[in-house]
């Protein structure tokens, strides 16, 4: 009883802290958004390691795919909705994708529905190595997607600087980052 | 790439200020879809010649009201299915309401009708062409709805595709109402609904393939 209470308190605290960071991030606060992504990474890694006892090697891949999916879907979060429910639905969707792709029957023996809160139940900051390299996949994107991501997202240039460096217009840079990250997610799941 | 580096990459900008809001996306899709269906109907089928008279009939507006109610409820379901972690059930229950109402009205008309005229009320004169024409008119709205849904994050792809298709079918029926001569509710309950179900079924088949993200 006591331990259940303690866990639900941890979970609620994580929900509140992460949601505040996330909302500040959506409003344009990059430091808060980073804090959200880092917090989410820790929880998600622990969650996936628990969920996939026989596929530990895949955890980091699914984690990265989920992070990218959360980022690409961030505009679909509705304020007032429990952040946990939103994140859990995305994580579950990515996990199902993984199961479908790999048809890992044994992993399915551990059902994982209706366990919203469990995402935040623990945190794990020890990364393993990912099998697929997002950096390598990034190289396969067309220039109109790759250059904006490299300049803005990896080298940290402003949109204006990236526009000068690449010869693309500022709006093309913005669109390129947005579409490029979606294209990257498609490469990551092996679609395109 | 290490996960840390991915976070570096994503963290540079979480702002959503530049992105069109979800409701705007669906709004554009629906209005564009209706407009395209009206143009297709006017050019390909023609607006019914007595439209100036028939707009004064209550039945005309009940028919349009049915189509609008189907579109509105399908949109509610679509916007719910477009967001992870939002239950779709209230949206799906909403769709059942206009369906139940039109069937109730159809049953009422059929019960009142004299023996021998009921089949004519159900089949009208155009039952053969009605569903395929509605399906054809729904194509632009279908593409637009899938575009809007693709910009979101549906996690139940089959259902999201079906509801997007149903909304496209309802948008097509709104346009088709300006052409169609059938004024009997039993006809609408049967054939308009069949016409809307064609894009809905197509949507459920295409959803898993085209709505993945």
């Amino acid at each position: 009883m006591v331990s259940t209470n303690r866990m639900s308190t941890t979970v609620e605290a994580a929900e509140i802290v992460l949601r505040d960071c996330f909302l500040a991030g959506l409003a344009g606060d990059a430091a808060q958004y980073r804090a959200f992504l880092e917090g989410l990474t820790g929880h998600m890694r622990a969650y996936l390691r628990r969920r996939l006892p026989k596929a530990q090697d895949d955890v980091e891949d699914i984690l990265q795919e989920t992070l990218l999916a959360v980022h690409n879907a961030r505009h679909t979060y509705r304020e007032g909705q429990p952040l946990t429910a939103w994140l859990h639905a995305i994580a579950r969707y990515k996990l199902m994708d993984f199961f479908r792709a790999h048809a890992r029957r044994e992993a399915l023996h551990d059902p994982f529905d209706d366990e919203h809160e469990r995402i935040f139940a623990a945190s794990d900051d020890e990364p393993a190595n990912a099998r697929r390299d997002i950096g390598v996949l990034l190289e396969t994107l067309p220039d109109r997607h790759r250059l904006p991501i490299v300049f803005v997202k990896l080298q940290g240039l402003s949109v204006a600087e990236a526009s000068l460096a690449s010869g693309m217009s500022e709006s093309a840079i913005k669109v390129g980052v947005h579409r490029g990250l979606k294209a990257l997610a498609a490469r990551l799941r092996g679609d395109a | 790439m290490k996960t840390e580096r991915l976070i570096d990459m994503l963290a540079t900008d979480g702002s959503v200020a530049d992105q069109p809001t979800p409701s705007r996306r669906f709004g554009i899709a629906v209005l564009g879809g209706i407009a395209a269906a009206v143009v297709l109907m006017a050019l390909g089928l023609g607006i019914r010649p007595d439209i100036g008279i028939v707009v004064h009939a209550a039945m005309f507006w009940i028919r349009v009201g049915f189509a609008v109610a189907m579109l509105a409820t399908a949109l509610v379901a679509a916007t719910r299915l477009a967001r992870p972690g939002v239950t779709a059930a209230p949206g799906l229950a909403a769709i059942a309401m206009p369906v139940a109402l039109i069937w109730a009205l159809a049953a009422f008309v059929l019960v009142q009708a004299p023996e021998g005229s009921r089949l004519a009320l159900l089949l009208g004169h155009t039952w053969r062409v009605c569903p395929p024409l509605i399906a054809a008119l729904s194509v632009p709205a279908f593409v637009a709805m899938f575009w809007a849904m693709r910009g979101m994050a549906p996690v139940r792809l089959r259902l999201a595709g079906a509801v997007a298709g149903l909304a496209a079918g309802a948008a097509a029926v709104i346009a088709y109402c300006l052409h169609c001569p059938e004024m009997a509710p039993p006809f609408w309950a049967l054939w308009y609904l069949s016409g809307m179900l064609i894009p809905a079924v197509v949507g459920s088949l295409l959803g898993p393939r085209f709505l993945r993200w």
Side-chain angles (χ1 to χ4, degrees), chain B residues 17-31 79 147-148:
Chain B
D18 289 338
Q19 297 201 28
T21 59
S23 51
R24 235 186 98 197
R25 244 172 226 284
F26 282 106
I28 292 168
V30 163
L31 293 180
T79 51
W147 162 81

Side-chain angles (χ1 to χ4, degrees), chain B residues 34-43 45-55 60-61 63-65 67-68 134 137 170-183 188 192:
Chain B
I34 294 175
V38 168
V39 170
L40 278 181
M41 179 276 303
L43 294 178
L45 305 172
I47 296 173
R48 56 187 284 179
D50 60 348
I51 189 83
I53 301 160
V54 86
V55 290
F60 178 83
W61 293 106
R63 188 171 68 164
V64 173
V68 170
I134 290 170
L137 291 179
V173 168
I174 292 176
Y176 191 69
C177 281
L178 303 175
H179 161 80
C180 179
E182 306 287 353
M183 297 308 277
W188 313 334
Y192 281 18

Side-chain angles (χ1 to χ4, degrees), chain A residues 73-88:
Chain A
R74 67 197 187 283
H75 62 295
T76 68
Y77 174 74
R78 187 159 42 188
E79 220 169 311
Q81 179 189 7
L83 183 64
T84 333
W86 182 77
L87 290 171
H88 182 264

